[in-house]
């Protein structure tokens, strides 16, 4: 929490303007949001109707049955997440990137029908947090929060009481050196190879706004790579495109 507050103060200072760039810069806040979504995915069951028979890992799945994937269980698998019961936002840091393991971190689903609004949802939640946490102090005033699984969307079990109090001053002590800019790791890299999974691409064009000379979205709303081995001066922009691609469609090989 301290680190999130320090980051918010470092990015916003006395200026409360929430911009697209400022929301990208609050990377620690984003990791805390991701970790909350990992431990408490609002959609805890994803359902599919099986249209035709298929085999999966030795199981026969007949047409007409239902297949359920649960993010709540997937997010607690030890094979995918280190110490999965622990609230540990650093698991999403550039050194660990546990959110990049294919189909492990799935609060927004995965594959072709992955949530269309995931990029927007992150921006929205981060904007709300950036405003609320700087204006108010929150504390739990009762039992620890438990999940209520009765509805379609999981929420906190009632009563869920918190106490909040307006902060005297928005100024919070910034911890020097804790602000991390998105996507920078300072590692000099000479070569980069880009591949994209056009099956996963949903045509959000985040990649083209980051690196317009490298990516293009065609009339079919699928990405095309214009330059699969871009010059080193573009590497940082391509890393940002990969990082912010909401569907994880971009893969990079560096070195
Ligand atoms: C924290 C907020 C959100 C969460 C946790 C979430 C979660 C999900 C999940 C898990 C799916 C996949 C369902 C499945 O596979 O059966 C999904 C699909 C979808 N979501 Fe979201 N969502 C969020 C916000 C949004 C927002 C803000 C929008 C729109 C602006 C949105 C639009 C959609 C759409 C259109 C689909 C269907 C995609 C398809 O079937 O191809 N979602 N969402
Ligand atoms: S590759 Fe990712 S960011 Fe680019 S258009 Fe496709 S989904 Fe969007």
């Amino acid at each position: 929490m301290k680190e999130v507050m320090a980051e918010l103060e470092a990015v916003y200072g006395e200026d409360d303007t929430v911009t697209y760039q400022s929301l990208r810069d609050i990377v620690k806040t984003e990791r805390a949001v991701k970790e909350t979504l990992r431990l408490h995915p609002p959609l805890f069951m994803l359902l599919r109707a099986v249209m035709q028979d298929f085999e999966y890992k030795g199981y026969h799945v007949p047409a007409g049955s239902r297949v359920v994937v649960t993010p709540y269980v997937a997010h607690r698998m030890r094979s995918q997440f280190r110490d999965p019961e622990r609230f540990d936002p650093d698991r999403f840091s550039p050194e660990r990137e546990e959110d990049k393991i294919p189909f492990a971190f799935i609060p927004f689903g995965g594959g072709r029908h992955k949530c269309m609004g995931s990029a927007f949802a992150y921006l929205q939640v981060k904007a709300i947090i950036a405003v609320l946490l700087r204006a108010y102090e929150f504390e739990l005033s009762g039992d620890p929060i438990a999940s209520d699984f009765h509805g379609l969307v999981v929420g906190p079990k009632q009563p869920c009481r918190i106490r909040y109090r307006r902060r005297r001053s928005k100024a919070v002590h910034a911890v020097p050196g804790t602000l991390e800019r998105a996507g920078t790791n300072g590692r000099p890299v000479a070569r980069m190879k880009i591949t994209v999974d056009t099956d996963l691409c949903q045509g959000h064009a985040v990649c083209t706004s980051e690196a317009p000379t490298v990516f293009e979205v065609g009339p079919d709303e699928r990405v095309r790579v214009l330059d699969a081995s871009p010059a080193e001066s573009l590497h940082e922009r391509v890393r940002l495109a990969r990082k912010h691609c909401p569907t994880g469609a971009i893969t990079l090989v560096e070195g």
Side-chain angles (χ1 to χ4, degrees):
M1 183 58 149
K2 254 191 201 158
E3 287 188 29
V4 167
M5 290 308 299
E7 177 181 74
L8 292 177
E9 181 58 24
V11 170
Y12 291 106
E14 285 303 306
D15 178 9
D16 279 340
T17 319
V18 173
T19 62
Y20 184 60
Q21 189 54 47
S22 72
L23 291 175
R24 285 210 161 174
D25 286 343
I26 52 175
V27 291
K28 290 189 175 174
T29 310
E30 178 166 311
R31 282 177 213 152
V33 172
K34 278 190 174 169
E35 185 63 338
T36 308
L37 283 170
R38 186 183 70 82
L39 286 170
H40 306 284
L43 293 191
F44 73 111
M45 280 205 304
L46 310 180
L47 288 149
R48 294 290 181 273
V50 179
M51 307 304 285
Q52 55 194 40
D53 293 16
F54 69 96
E55 301 290 326
Y56 182 73
K57 295 196 173 175
Y59 291 95
H60 178 70
V61 188
S65 47
R66 295 273 188 274
V67 173
V68 182
V69 170
T70 157
Y72 194 87
V73 174
H75 292 170
R76 283 168 167 75
M77 287 173 71
R78 283 184 195 285
S79 55
Q80 310 295 341
F81 298 99
R82 194 195 301 169
D83 203 356
E85 296 296 335
R86 191 163 157 245
F87 185 85
D88 176 13
D90 286 341
R91 67 178 76 248
F92 304 122
S93 63
E95 297 77 37
R96 291 173 59 190
E97 290 196 328
E98 291 184 13
D99 50 333
K100 295 284 190 273
I101 306 164
F103 299 104
F105 179 67
I106 50 168
F108 294 102
R112 281 190 187 171
H113 288 283
K114 185 181 168 183
C115 177
M116 294 284 270
S118 61
F120 179 62
Y122 277 126
L123 291 175
Q124 210 175 18
V125 173
K126 286 191 291 183
I128 292 167
I129 286 179
V131 171
L132 282 184
L133 285 190
R134 296 191 71 236
Y136 300 96
E137 279 171 42
F138 293 90
E139 72 181 300
L140 207 54
S141 96
D143 294 334
I145 298 173
S147 299
D148 180 355
F149 291 100
H150 285 96
L152 185 64
V153 176
V154 181
K157 205 180 251 175
Q158 301 299 328
C160 168
R161 294 197 181 92
I162 53 162
R163 197 175 291 129
Y164 61 97
R165 161 170 73 227
R166 188 177 284 279
R167 289 185 189 278
R168 277 215 193 110
S169 143
K170 280 193 194 133
V172 180
H173 292 300
V175 180
T178 55
L179 175 61
E180 233 176 82
R181 306 293 291 197
T184 53
N185 61 14
R187 187 163 49 89
V189 175
R191 280 176 300 166
M192 172 181 272
K193 184 97 185 98
I194 307 170
T195 49
V196 292
D197 184 337
T198 47
D199 222 28
L200 288 182
C201 174
Q202 291 176 339
H204 292 276
V206 175
C207 53
T208 58
S209 65
E210 291 298 347
T213 56
V214 178
F215 301 99
E216 179 185 68
V217 175
D220 58 351
E221 296 188 350
R222 291 282 189 274
V223 70
R224 265 195 293 278
V225 181
L226 303 173
D227 181 0
S229 307
E232 199 170 353
S233 56
L234 291 168
H235 287 188
E236 196 52 40
R237 301 209 70 84
V238 175
R239 284 188 206 111
L240 287 173
R242 177 224 173 221
K243 178 180 161 65
H244 293 293
C245 167
T247 64
I250 301 170
T251 307
L252 304 181
V253 179
E254 300 194 43

